[in-house]
Amino acid sequence: MASVPVVIAVDVGGTTISAGAVAATGEVLIARQVATRDAPGRAEAAIEALIEELGAAASARGVEVRGIGVGVPGPVDPVTGRISEHVPHVPELAGRALAAALAARFRLPAFVDNDVNALALGEWMFGAGRGAQSLVVLAPGTGFGTGIVIDGRLLRGAHGFGGELGHAPVKFDGPPCWCGGHGCLALYASGRGIADAARARVAGDPDAALLRAAGADLAAITAPLVFRLAAEGDAVAAAVVDEACQALGAMIGVVVNGIDPEVIVITGGVAAAFLPLEKRVLRAAVDYAFAAALARTRVSIVLADKATTMRGAAALVLHELERTGTS
Ligand SMILES: [Zn+2]
């Protein structure tokens, strides 16, 4: 490892907790991870152990650690720094003031934010939005996260809910959403929403190809299965995928007409499934967005991996050190 300063970046996911020592260039110099299920009820202890290990590895090489950044799968109050009560994948972090606890323990500046906010900062600093002043990340995964950078600043909103476009309605009289709203983007274009929509269409029809492919088990229908059957020509799966593309196009319309960013990045766990459908998503966006604005917006689908999410948490540290004048 070169002797450049690093930040320690942690991404807390429902499956794995990944941590890395990341240089200011975005290069991940050391990486470690643990399975979240191996740390039941002690996710915070697992996060601390990873930071400890990476900090020791950095100091053994004489490398300065400038701060700690953590992306968590839920909203974080921008004023109190508390993680919201809604973190279903890692419930023991609910209500925790994690940044303050980490700063006290490691005597380093520490920042915690929503994982897709961090991802947006990562794409803006190191990825598809590098050099732009404004960028919106749409991240379909199990749920649907979004992050907004405007004029070089992350949009957190007044109460930490800024950039929750996954739960903005794309159909005002649509079905109820698990968030309490109706017709949200997440219902149509997230992994959970796509699987649920397909299940609703084939429930009670034992001859449906989707149900047969899932071994007659409704619960075994997943978004990847829906995309696969749609590609193979199954009409029911294709209708669900069409709706997903149209919903994503409608949200691009909302973003272009409402925010007019330089760059829109579609990434997250379901991005790979949308990659072969990129032209259809963009054609759908034409139905909703101001043509002159859409024509000048760079829209790209970017595959996410562990390095991208760690870079996001690192970008959070660099953004916050600069914003708070402590760099
Ligand atoms: Zn919703």
Side-chain angles (χ1 to χ4, degrees):
M1 187 160 75
S3 58
V4 292
V6 295
V7 299
I8 295 179
V10 185
D11 179 67
V12 182
T15 314
T16 51
I17 301 172
S18 312
V22 183
T25 55
E27 192 185 352
V28 180
L29 301 170
I30 322 174
R32 298 278 185 275
Q33 66 179 49
V34 294
T36 311
R37 66 174 177 278
D38 291 343
R42 46 169 219 97
E44 193 165 334
I47 293 165
E48 287 183 357
L50 285 169
I51 295 170
E52 183 89 60
E53 188 186 342
L54 288 166
S59 77
R61 294 163 166 86
V63 171
E64 180 201 352
V65 176
R66 294 180 58 204
I68 298 164
V70 184
V72 296
V76 178
D77 188 302
V79 176
T80 65
R82 281 189 191 283
I83 298 169
S84 92
E85 296 301 323
H86 186 72
V87 272
H89 299 305
V90 216
E92 70 262 32
L93 291 182
R96 292 287 299 143
L98 183 60
L102 294 177
R105 159 135 190 209
F106 294 100
R107 298 176 183 282
L108 283 168
F111 308 96
V112 177
D113 209 323
N114 172 265
D115 51 3
V116 184
N117 279 350
L119 198 57
L121 285 170
E123 283 302 315
W124 172 63
M125 258 183 215
F126 307 122
R130 199 165 31 182
Q133 281 299 302
S134 55
L135 152 145
V136 173
V137 164
L138 303 175
T142 307
F144 201 116
T146 64
I148 301 172
V149 174
I150 293 180
D151 297 333
R153 287 283 175 258
L154 183 68
L155 180 92
R156 290 196 166 87
H159 317 97
F161 292 92
E164 286 292 337
L165 289 172
H167 292 283
V170 290
K171 193 170 183 201
F172 75 88
D173 57 352
C177 178
W178 57 87
C179 75
H182 287 267
C184 298
L185 174 65
L187 287 174
Y188 301 97
S190 73
R192 175 178 171 180
I194 288 165
D196 282 352
R199 287 177 193 138
R201 284 173 189 250
V202 300
D205 178 5
D207 293 331
L210 268 167
L211 206 46
R212 284 208 310 272
D217 179 5
L218 210 54
I221 294 177
T222 60
L225 182 69
V226 177
F227 280 104
R228 180 163 68 77
L229 261 69
E232 289 170 10
D234 175 58
V236 177
V240 173
V241 167
D242 268 346
E243 231 173 37
C245 292
Q246 205 65 26
L248 210 44
M251 183 49 65
I252 292 172
V254 169
V255 168
V256 166
N257 294 5
I259 299 170
D260 188 19
E262 288 174 66
V263 179
I264 296 175
V265 175
I266 299 165
T267 185
V270 183
F274 280 112
L275 196 53
L277 306 167
E278 188 168 17
K279 284 205 174 90
R280 267 162 70 185
V281 172
L282 290 175
R283 266 204 311 273
V286 170
D287 293 342
Y288 305 101
F290 293 138
L294 180 63
R296 286 185 283 173
T297 308
R298 266 194 287 142
V299 183
S300 40
I301 298 181
V302 171
L303 303 185
D305 58 19
K306 287 292 157 205
T308 18
T309 56
M310 277 189 281
R311 264 186 223 117
L316 170 68
V317 180
L318 300 173
H319 176 262
E320 290 301 278
L321 287 176
E322 190 269 330
R323 188 178 70 87
T324 56
T326 45
S327 63

Short mmCIF file of all heavy atoms in Angstrom, two decimals, residues 127-197:
data_model
loop_
_atom_site.label_atom_id
_atom_site.label_comp_id
_atom_site.label_asym_id
_atom_site.label_seq_id
_atom_site.Cartn_x
_atom_site.Cartn_y
_atom_site.Cartn_z
N GLY A 127 -17.16 8.04 -10.16
CA GLY A 127 -17.80 7.18 -11.16
C GLY A 127 -18.35 7.92 -12.36
O GLY A 127 -17.74 8.86 -12.89
N ALA A 128 -19.56 7.53 -12.76
CA ALA A 128 -20.16 8.03 -13.99
C ALA A 128 -20.47 9.53 -13.95
O ALA A 128 -20.68 10.15 -14.99
CB ALA A 128 -21.45 7.26 -14.29
N GLY A 129 -20.52 10.11 -12.73
CA GLY A 129 -20.85 11.54 -12.62
C GLY A 129 -19.65 12.41 -12.34
O GLY A 129 -19.80 13.58 -11.99
N ARG A 130 -18.43 11.85 -12.52
CA ARG A 130 -17.23 12.62 -12.19
C ARG A 130 -17.16 13.89 -13.03
O ARG A 130 -17.36 13.85 -14.24
CB ARG A 130 -15.99 11.76 -12.42
CG ARG A 130 -14.76 12.26 -11.72
CD ARG A 130 -13.70 11.21 -11.67
NE ARG A 130 -13.76 10.33 -12.83
CZ ARG A 130 -12.96 9.30 -13.02
NH1 ARG A 130 -12.08 8.98 -12.11
NH2 ARG A 130 -13.05 8.56 -14.09
N GLY A 131 -16.92 15.01 -12.37
CA GLY A 131 -16.81 16.28 -13.10
C GLY A 131 -18.13 17.01 -13.24
O GLY A 131 -18.15 18.18 -13.59
N ALA A 132 -19.26 16.33 -12.95
CA ALA A 132 -20.56 16.99 -13.07
C ALA A 132 -20.86 17.76 -11.78
O ALA A 132 -20.31 17.46 -10.72
CB ALA A 132 -21.65 15.95 -13.31
N GLN A 133 -21.75 18.74 -11.87
CA GLN A 133 -22.18 19.48 -10.68
C GLN A 133 -23.45 18.87 -10.08
O GLN A 133 -23.77 19.10 -8.92
CB GLN A 133 -22.44 20.95 -11.05
CG GLN A 133 -21.18 21.78 -11.15
CD GLN A 133 -20.42 21.83 -9.83
OE1 GLN A 133 -20.95 22.26 -8.81
NE2 GLN A 133 -19.19 21.36 -9.83
N SER A 134 -24.19 18.13 -10.91
CA SER A 134 -25.45 17.56 -10.40
C SER A 134 -25.65 16.17 -10.96
O SER A 134 -25.30 15.89 -12.12
CB SER A 134 -26.62 18.47 -10.79
OG SER A 134 -26.64 18.66 -12.18
N LEU A 135 -26.17 15.30 -10.10
CA LEU A 135 -26.36 13.90 -10.48
C LEU A 135 -27.47 13.29 -9.65
O LEU A 135 -27.67 13.65 -8.49
CB LEU A 135 -25.03 13.17 -10.26
CG LEU A 135 -25.02 11.69 -9.95
CD1 LEU A 135 -23.80 11.05 -10.60
CD2 LEU A 135 -24.93 11.43 -8.46
N VAL A 136 -28.24 12.41 -10.27
CA VAL A 136 -29.25 11.66 -9.52
C VAL A 136 -28.98 10.17 -9.74
O VAL A 136 -28.80 9.73 -10.88
CB VAL A 136 -30.68 12.02 -9.99
CG1 VAL A 136 -31.72 11.12 -9.33
CG2 VAL A 136 -30.99 13.49 -9.66
N VAL A 137 -28.91 9.43 -8.64
CA VAL A 137 -28.72 7.98 -8.71
C VAL A 137 -30.06 7.31 -8.43
O VAL A 137 -30.72 7.62 -7.43
CB VAL A 137 -27.64 7.51 -7.70
CG1 VAL A 137 -27.73 6.01 -7.48
CG2 VAL A 137 -26.25 7.86 -8.22
N LEU A 138 -30.47 6.44 -9.33
CA LEU A 138 -31.66 5.61 -9.12
C LEU A 138 -31.15 4.19 -8.92
O LEU A 138 -30.48 3.64 -9.80
CB LEU A 138 -32.58 5.66 -10.35
CG LEU A 138 -33.05 7.06 -10.79
CD1 LEU A 138 -33.86 6.96 -12.09
CD2 LEU A 138 -33.90 7.71 -9.71
N ALA A 139 -31.41 3.61 -7.74
CA ALA A 139 -30.79 2.33 -7.41
C ALA A 139 -31.83 1.27 -7.04
O ALA A 139 -32.16 1.07 -5.88
CB ALA A 139 -29.79 2.52 -6.26
N PRO A 140 -32.35 0.56 -8.08
CA PRO A 140 -33.23 -0.55 -7.77
C PRO A 140 -32.45 -1.73 -7.19
O PRO A 140 -31.49 -2.19 -7.80
CB PRO A 140 -33.85 -0.91 -9.14
CG PRO A 140 -32.87 -0.42 -10.15
CD PRO A 140 -32.14 0.74 -9.53
N GLY A 141 -32.82 -2.16 -6.00
CA GLY A 141 -32.25 -3.35 -5.38
C GLY A 141 -33.43 -4.15 -4.87
O GLY A 141 -34.44 -4.27 -5.57
N THR A 142 -33.34 -4.66 -3.64
CA THR A 142 -34.51 -5.29 -3.03
C THR A 142 -35.63 -4.25 -2.94
O THR A 142 -36.76 -4.49 -3.35
CB THR A 142 -34.16 -5.83 -1.63
OG1 THR A 142 -33.02 -6.66 -1.76
CG2 THR A 142 -35.32 -6.60 -1.04
N GLY A 143 -35.27 -3.09 -2.40
CA GLY A 143 -36.17 -1.93 -2.44
C GLY A 143 -35.71 -1.00 -3.56
O GLY A 143 -35.10 -1.45 -4.52
N PHE A 144 -35.99 0.30 -3.42
CA PHE A 144 -35.55 1.23 -4.46
C PHE A 144 -35.00 2.48 -3.79
O PHE A 144 -35.75 3.29 -3.28
CB PHE A 144 -36.72 1.59 -5.39
CG PHE A 144 -36.25 2.09 -6.73
CD1 PHE A 144 -36.53 1.39 -7.89
CD2 PHE A 144 -35.50 3.25 -6.84
CE1 PHE A 144 -36.09 1.84 -9.13
CE2 PHE A 144 -35.05 3.70 -8.06
CZ PHE A 144 -35.35 2.99 -9.22
N GLY A 145 -33.66 2.61 -3.79
CA GLY A 145 -33.03 3.78 -3.18
C GLY A 145 -32.68 4.80 -4.24
O GLY A 145 -32.45 4.45 -5.40
N THR A 146 -32.66 6.06 -3.85
CA THR A 146 -32.19 7.10 -4.78
C THR A 146 -31.35 8.10 -4.00
O THR A 146 -31.47 8.22 -2.79
CB THR A 146 -33.36 7.84 -5.47
OG1 THR A 146 -34.12 8.54 -4.49
CG2 THR A 146 -34.28 6.90 -6.21
N GLY A 147 -30.46 8.78 -4.71
CA GLY A 147 -29.62 9.80 -4.08
C GLY A 147 -29.45 10.96 -5.05
O GLY A 147 -29.39 10.76 -6.26
N ILE A 148 -29.43 12.17 -4.50
CA ILE A 148 -29.40 13.38 -5.33
C ILE A 148 -28.24 14.27 -4.92
O ILE A 148 -28.11 14.61 -3.74
CB ILE A 148 -30.74 14.16 -5.18
CG1 ILE A 148 -31.92 13.27 -5.58
CG2 ILE A 148 -30.71 15.45 -6.00
CD1 ILE A 148 -33.29 13.89 -5.28
N VAL A 149 -27.39 14.62 -5.87
CA VAL A 149 -26.33 15.61 -5.63
C VAL A 149 -26.66 16.81 -6.50
O VAL A 149 -26.85 16.68 -7.71
CB VAL A 149 -24.93 15.05 -6.00
CG1 VAL A 149 -23.87 16.15 -5.89
CG2 VAL A 149 -24.58 13.87 -5.11
N ILE A 150 -26.80 17.99 -5.86
CA ILE A 150 -27.10 19.22 -6.61
C ILE A 150 -26.05 20.27 -6.25
O ILE A 150 -25.75 20.47 -5.07
CB ILE A 150 -28.50 19.77 -6.23
CG1 ILE A 150 -29.58 18.80 -6.71
CG2 ILE A 150 -28.73 21.13 -6.87
CD1 ILE A 150 -30.98 19.26 -6.38
N ASP A 151 -25.50 20.92 -7.27
CA ASP A 151 -24.48 21.94 -7.06
C ASP A 151 -23.38 21.45 -6.12
O ASP A 151 -22.93 22.17 -5.23
CB ASP A 151 -25.12 23.24 -6.50
CG ASP A 151 -26.12 23.84 -7.48
OD1 ASP A 151 -25.96 23.62 -8.70
OD2 ASP A 151 -27.06 24.52 -7.03
N GLY A 152 -22.97 20.20 -6.31
CA GLY A 152 -21.87 19.65 -5.52
C GLY A 152 -22.20 19.33 -4.08
O GLY A 152 -21.31 19.14 -3.26
N ARG A 153 -23.48 19.28 -3.75
CA ARG A 153 -23.89 18.95 -2.38
C ARG A 153 -24.93 17.84 -2.40
O ARG A 153 -25.82 17.85 -3.24
CB ARG A 153 -24.51 20.17 -1.67
CG ARG A 153 -23.49 21.22 -1.30
CD ARG A 153 -22.72 20.79 -0.06
NE ARG A 153 -21.66 21.72 0.27
CZ ARG A 153 -20.36 21.50 0.00
NH1 ARG A 153 -19.98 20.40 -0.60
NH2 ARG A 153 -19.45 22.38 0.34
N LEU A 154 -24.84 16.95 -1.43
CA LEU A 154 -25.85 15.90 -1.29
C LEU A 154 -27.14 16.52 -0.76
O LEU A 154 -27.12 17.29 0.20
CB LEU A 154 -25.33 14.85 -0.30
CG LEU A 154 -26.21 13.64 -0.09
CD1 LEU A 154 -26.27 12.79 -1.35
CD2 LEU A 154 -25.68 12.81 1.07
N LEU A 155 -28.26 16.17 -1.39
CA LEU A 155 -29.56 16.67 -0.92
C LEU A 155 -30.08 15.74 0.17
O LEU A 155 -30.44 14.60 -0.11
CB LEU A 155 -30.55 16.73 -2.08
CG LEU A 155 -31.94 17.23 -1.67
CD1 LEU A 155 -32.03 18.74 -1.87
CD2 LEU A 155 -33.03 16.55 -2.45
N ARG A 156 -30.09 16.21 1.40
CA ARG A 156 -30.57 15.37 2.51
C ARG A 156 -32.01 15.70 2.88
O ARG A 156 -32.68 14.92 3.52
CB ARG A 156 -29.69 15.56 3.73
CG ARG A 156 -28.30 14.99 3.57
CD ARG A 156 -27.62 14.86 4.91
NE ARG A 156 -26.44 14.03 4.82
CZ ARG A 156 -25.22 14.47 4.50
NH1 ARG A 156 -25.04 15.74 4.22
NH2 ARG A 156 -24.20 13.65 4.44
N GLY A 157 -32.47 16.87 2.49
CA GLY A 157 -33.80 17.30 2.88
C GLY A 157 -33.78 17.84 4.30
O GLY A 157 -32.78 17.74 5.01
N ALA A 158 -34.90 18.42 4.71
CA ALA A 158 -34.98 19.04 6.03
C ALA A 158 -35.01 17.99 7.15
O ALA A 158 -34.63 18.26 8.28
CB ALA A 158 -36.21 19.94 6.12
N HIS A 159 -35.49 16.77 6.82
CA HIS A 159 -35.69 15.77 7.88
C HIS A 159 -35.04 14.43 7.55
O HIS A 159 -35.40 13.40 8.11
CB HIS A 159 -37.19 15.57 8.12
CG HIS A 159 -37.96 16.86 8.17
ND1 HIS A 159 -38.64 17.36 7.08
CD2 HIS A 159 -38.09 17.77 9.16
CE1 HIS A 159 -39.16 18.53 7.40
NE2 HIS A 159 -38.85 18.81 8.65
N GLY A 160 -34.11 14.43 6.59
CA GLY A 160 -33.39 13.20 6.26
C GLY A 160 -34.08 12.34 5.20
O GLY A 160 -33.59 11.28 4.86
N PHE A 161 -35.21 12.82 4.66
CA PHE A 161 -35.93 12.03 3.67
C PHE A 161 -35.69 12.52 2.24
O PHE A 161 -36.32 12.04 1.31
CB PHE A 161 -37.43 12.01 3.98
CG PHE A 161 -37.76 11.24 5.24
CD1 PHE A 161 -37.84 11.88 6.47
CD2 PHE A 161 -37.94 9.87 5.19
CE1 PHE A 161 -38.11 11.17 7.63
CE2 PHE A 161 -38.21 9.15 6.34
CZ PHE A 161 -38.30 9.81 7.57
N GLY A 162 -34.79 13.47 2.09
CA GLY A 162 -34.47 13.99 0.75
C GLY A 162 -33.96 12.87 -0.13
O GLY A 162 -33.20 12.01 0.33
N GLY A 163 -34.39 12.82 -1.38
CA GLY A 163 -33.91 11.78 -2.28
C GLY A 163 -34.55 10.43 -2.03
O GLY A 163 -33.95 9.41 -2.34
N GLU A 164 -35.76 10.39 -1.50
CA GLU A 164 -36.46 9.10 -1.36
C GLU A 164 -37.44 8.92 -2.54
O GLU A 164 -38.62 8.65 -2.35
CB GLU A 164 -37.18 9.00 -0.01
CG GLU A 164 -36.24 8.77 1.17
CD GLU A 164 -35.56 7.39 1.17
OE1 GLU A 164 -36.10 6.46 0.55
OE2 GLU A 164 -34.49 7.27 1.77
N LEU A 165 -36.91 9.07 -3.74
CA LEU A 165 -37.76 9.00 -4.92
C LEU A 165 -38.30 7.61 -5.20
O LEU A 165 -39.25 7.45 -5.96
CB LEU A 165 -37.01 9.50 -6.15
CG LEU A 165 -36.74 11.01 -6.19
CD1 LEU A 165 -35.82 11.36 -7.35
CD2 LEU A 165 -38.05 11.77 -6.30
N GLY A 166 -37.70 6.58 -4.59
CA GLY A 166 -38.23 5.23 -4.76
C GLY A 166 -39.66 5.13 -4.26
O GLY A 166 -40.44 4.28 -4.70
N HIS A 167 -40.01 6.03 -3.34
CA HIS A 167 -41.38 6.04 -2.84
C HIS A 167 -42.13 7.30 -3.27
O HIS A 167 -43.04 7.75 -2.59
CB HIS A 167 -41.40 5.81 -1.33
CG HIS A 167 -40.97 4.41 -1.02
ND1 HIS A 167 -41.80 3.33 -1.21
CD2 HIS A 167 -39.76 3.91 -0.67
CE1 HIS A 167 -41.11 2.22 -0.95
NE2 HIS A 167 -39.89 2.54 -0.62
N ALA A 168 -41.74 7.81 -4.42
CA ALA A 168 -42.56 8.83 -5.08
C ALA A 168 -43.50 8.07 -6.02
O ALA A 168 -43.10 7.09 -6.65
CB ALA A 168 -41.68 9.79 -5.87
N PRO A 169 -44.78 8.48 -6.10
CA PRO A 169 -45.73 7.75 -6.95
C PRO A 169 -45.46 7.96 -8.43
O PRO A 169 -45.21 9.08 -8.86
CB PRO A 169 -47.09 8.33 -6.55
CG PRO A 169 -46.78 9.68 -5.98
CD PRO A 169 -45.41 9.59 -5.39
N VAL A 170 -45.47 6.86 -9.19
CA VAL A 170 -45.48 6.98 -10.64
C VAL A 170 -46.88 6.68 -11.17
O VAL A 170 -47.16 6.80 -12.36
CB VAL A 170 -44.44 6.04 -11.32
CG1 VAL A 170 -43.03 6.52 -11.05
CG2 VAL A 170 -44.62 4.60 -10.86
N LYS A 171 -47.79 6.26 -10.26
CA LYS A 171 -49.18 6.01 -10.63
C LYS A 171 -50.01 6.40 -9.41
O LYS A 171 -50.00 5.69 -8.40
CB LYS A 171 -49.36 4.53 -10.97
CG LYS A 171 -50.65 4.24 -11.65
CD LYS A 171 -50.71 2.82 -12.19
CE LYS A 171 -52.02 2.65 -12.93
NZ LYS A 171 -52.45 1.30 -13.09
N PHE A 172 -50.72 7.56 -9.50
CA PHE A 172 -51.30 8.11 -8.27
C PHE A 172 -52.41 7.25 -7.70
O PHE A 172 -52.68 7.28 -6.51
CB PHE A 172 -51.76 9.57 -8.48
CG PHE A 172 -53.03 9.71 -9.27
CD1 PHE A 172 -54.25 9.68 -8.61
CD2 PHE A 172 -53.01 9.86 -10.65
CE1 PHE A 172 -55.43 9.81 -9.33
CE2 PHE A 172 -54.17 9.98 -11.36
CZ PHE A 172 -55.39 9.95 -10.71
N ASP A 173 -53.10 6.46 -8.56
CA ASP A 173 -54.15 5.58 -8.06
C ASP A 173 -53.69 4.11 -8.08
O ASP A 173 -54.51 3.20 -8.16
CB ASP A 173 -55.44 5.76 -8.86
CG ASP A 173 -55.22 5.51 -10.36
OD1 ASP A 173 -54.05 5.35 -10.76
OD2 ASP A 173 -56.21 5.46 -11.11
N GLY A 174 -52.39 3.94 -7.99
CA GLY A 174 -51.82 2.59 -8.00
C GLY A 174 -52.07 1.86 -6.70
O GLY A 174 -52.66 2.40 -5.76
N PRO A 175 -51.64 0.59 -6.62
CA PRO A 175 -51.88 -0.22 -5.42
C PRO A 175 -51.11 0.31 -4.20
O PRO A 175 -50.17 1.08 -4.35
CB PRO A 175 -51.37 -1.61 -5.82
CG PRO A 175 -50.46 -1.37 -6.98
CD PRO A 175 -50.91 -0.12 -7.65
N PRO A 176 -51.55 -0.10 -2.99
CA PRO A 176 -50.84 0.35 -1.79
C PRO A 176 -49.40 -0.19 -1.77
O PRO A 176 -49.13 -1.29 -2.24
CB PRO A 176 -51.64 -0.25 -0.64
CG PRO A 176 -52.73 -1.05 -1.23
CD PRO A 176 -52.68 -0.97 -2.71
N CYS A 177 -48.50 0.63 -1.26
CA CYS A 177 -47.08 0.26 -1.15
C CYS A 177 -46.76 -0.08 0.30
O CYS A 177 -47.46 0.36 1.22
CB CYS A 177 -46.22 1.43 -1.61
SG CYS A 177 -44.44 1.13 -1.50
N TRP A 178 -45.70 -0.84 0.51
CA TRP A 178 -45.30 -1.20 1.87
C TRP A 178 -44.88 0.02 2.68
O TRP A 178 -44.77 -0.05 3.89
CB TRP A 178 -44.22 -2.28 1.87
CG TRP A 178 -42.95 -1.94 1.11
CD1 TRP A 178 -41.87 -1.26 1.60
CD2 TRP A 178 -42.62 -2.27 -0.25
NE1 TRP A 178 -40.91 -1.16 0.62
CE2 TRP A 178 -41.33 -1.77 -0.51
CE3 TRP A 178 -43.29 -2.96 -1.27
CZ2 TRP A 178 -40.70 -1.91 -1.75
CZ3 TRP A 178 -42.66 -3.09 -2.50
CH2 TRP A 178 -41.38 -2.58 -2.74
N CYS A 179 -44.64 1.17 2.03
CA CYS A 179 -44.26 2.38 2.78
C CYS A 179 -45.47 3.12 3.31
O CYS A 179 -45.35 4.07 4.06
CB CYS A 179 -43.45 3.32 1.88
SG CYS A 179 -44.46 4.21 0.68
N GLY A 180 -46.68 2.69 2.89
CA GLY A 180 -47.89 3.40 3.31
C GLY A 180 -48.48 4.26 2.20
O GLY A 180 -49.60 4.74 2.32
N GLY A 181 -47.71 4.48 1.13
CA GLY A 181 -48.21 5.27 0.01
C GLY A 181 -48.91 4.41 -1.02
O GLY A 181 -49.29 3.26 -0.76
N HIS A 182 -49.10 4.98 -2.21
CA HIS A 182 -49.77 4.26 -3.32
C HIS A 182 -48.99 4.48 -4.61
O HIS A 182 -48.54 5.59 -4.88
CB HIS A 182 -51.19 4.80 -3.54
CG HIS A 182 -52.15 4.39 -2.49
ND1 HIS A 182 -52.94 3.27 -2.60
CD2 HIS A 182 -52.42 4.94 -1.28
CE1 HIS A 182 -53.68 3.16 -1.52
NE2 HIS A 182 -53.38 4.16 -0.70
N GLY A 183 -48.89 3.43 -5.42
CA GLY A 183 -48.34 3.57 -6.77
C GLY A 183 -46.89 4.02 -6.82
O GLY A 183 -46.46 4.61 -7.81
N CYS A 184 -46.12 3.71 -5.76
CA CYS A 184 -44.71 4.15 -5.72
C CYS A 184 -43.87 3.47 -6.80
O CYS A 184 -44.15 2.32 -7.20
CB CYS A 184 -44.07 3.78 -4.38
SG CYS A 184 -44.83 4.56 -2.97
N LEU A 185 -42.81 4.15 -7.23
CA LEU A 185 -41.85 3.57 -8.17
C LEU A 185 -41.38 2.19 -7.71
O LEU A 185 -41.26 1.26 -8.50
CB LEU A 185 -40.65 4.52 -8.31
CG LEU A 185 -39.48 4.01 -9.15
CD1 LEU A 185 -39.88 3.83 -10.60
CD2 LEU A 185 -38.29 4.96 -9.03
N ALA A 186 -41.13 2.04 -6.41
CA ALA A 186 -40.59 0.77 -5.87
C ALA A 186 -41.52 -0.41 -6.14
O ALA A 186 -41.07 -1.54 -6.28
CB ALA A 186 -40.35 0.91 -4.36
N LEU A 187 -42.83 -0.15 -6.23
CA LEU A 187 -43.77 -1.24 -6.49
C LEU A 187 -43.56 -1.84 -7.88
O LEU A 187 -43.87 -3.01 -8.11
CB LEU A 187 -45.21 -0.72 -6.43
CG LEU A 187 -45.79 -0.40 -5.06
CD1 LEU A 187 -47.16 0.23 -5.25
CD2 LEU A 187 -45.89 -1.65 -4.21
N TYR A 188 -43.07 -1.03 -8.80
CA TYR A 188 -42.96 -1.47 -10.20
C TYR A 188 -41.53 -1.84 -10.61
O TYR A 188 -41.36 -2.66 -11.50
CB TYR A 188 -43.46 -0.35 -11.13
CG TYR A 188 -44.89 0.03 -10.84
CD1 TYR A 188 -45.20 1.12 -10.04
CD2 TYR A 188 -45.93 -0.76 -11.32
CE1 TYR A 188 -46.51 1.45 -9.74
CE2 TYR A 188 -47.25 -0.44 -11.03
CZ TYR A 188 -47.53 0.67 -10.24
OH TYR A 188 -48.83 0.98 -9.94
N ALA A 189 -40.54 -1.21 -9.97
CA ALA A 189 -39.18 -1.35 -10.53
C ALA A 189 -38.13 -1.83 -9.53
O ALA A 189 -36.96 -1.85 -9.86
CB ALA A 189 -38.75 -0.01 -11.14
N SER A 190 -38.53 -2.21 -8.31
CA SER A 190 -37.55 -2.79 -7.37
C SER A 190 -37.63 -4.30 -7.43
O SER A 190 -38.62 -4.87 -7.94
CB SER A 190 -37.85 -2.31 -5.94
OG SER A 190 -39.01 -2.96 -5.45
N GLY A 191 -36.64 -4.98 -6.90
CA GLY A 191 -36.65 -6.44 -6.88
C GLY A 191 -37.89 -6.99 -6.19
O GLY A 191 -38.57 -7.88 -6.72
N ARG A 192 -38.20 -6.42 -5.02
CA ARG A 192 -39.38 -6.87 -4.28
C ARG A 192 -40.66 -6.56 -5.04
O ARG A 192 -41.57 -7.41 -5.14
CB ARG A 192 -39.40 -6.17 -2.90
CG ARG A 192 -40.63 -6.46 -2.09
CD ARG A 192 -40.55 -5.77 -0.74
NE ARG A 192 -41.81 -5.88 -0.02
CZ ARG A 192 -42.03 -5.38 1.20
NH1 ARG A 192 -41.07 -4.73 1.83
NH2 ARG A 192 -43.19 -5.52 1.78
N GLY A 193 -40.75 -5.36 -5.61
CA GLY A 193 -41.95 -4.95 -6.33
C GLY A 193 -42.19 -5.80 -7.57
O GLY A 193 -43.33 -6.21 -7.85
N ILE A 194 -41.11 -6.10 -8.31
CA ILE A 194 -41.23 -6.90 -9.53
C ILE A 194 -41.68 -8.32 -9.18
O ILE A 194 -42.58 -8.89 -9.83
CB ILE A 194 -39.88 -6.90 -10.30
CG1 ILE A 194 -39.66 -5.51 -10.94
CG2 ILE A 194 -39.84 -8.00 -11.36
CD1 ILE A 194 -38.25 -5.26 -11.42
N ALA A 195 -41.10 -8.91 -8.14
CA ALA A 195 -41.48 -10.26 -7.72
C ALA A 195 -42.94 -10.27 -7.26
O ALA A 195 -43.72 -11.16 -7.64
CB ALA A 195 -40.55 -10.75 -6.61
N ASP A 196 -43.34 -9.26 -6.45
CA ASP A 196 -44.73 -9.20 -5.96
C ASP A 196 -45.72 -9.05 -7.11
O ASP A 196 -46.79 -9.68 -7.12
CB ASP A 196 -44.90 -8.01 -4.99
CG ASP A 196 -44.34 -8.31 -3.61
OD1 ASP A 196 -43.96 -9.48 -3.36
OD2 ASP A 196 -44.28 -7.37 -2.78
N ALA A 197 -45.37 -8.19 -8.09
CA ALA A 197 -46.28 -7.95 -9.21
C ALA A 197 -46.47 -9.23 -10.02
O ALA A 197 -47.58 -9.55 -10.46
CB ALA A 197 -45.73 -6.82 -10.10
#
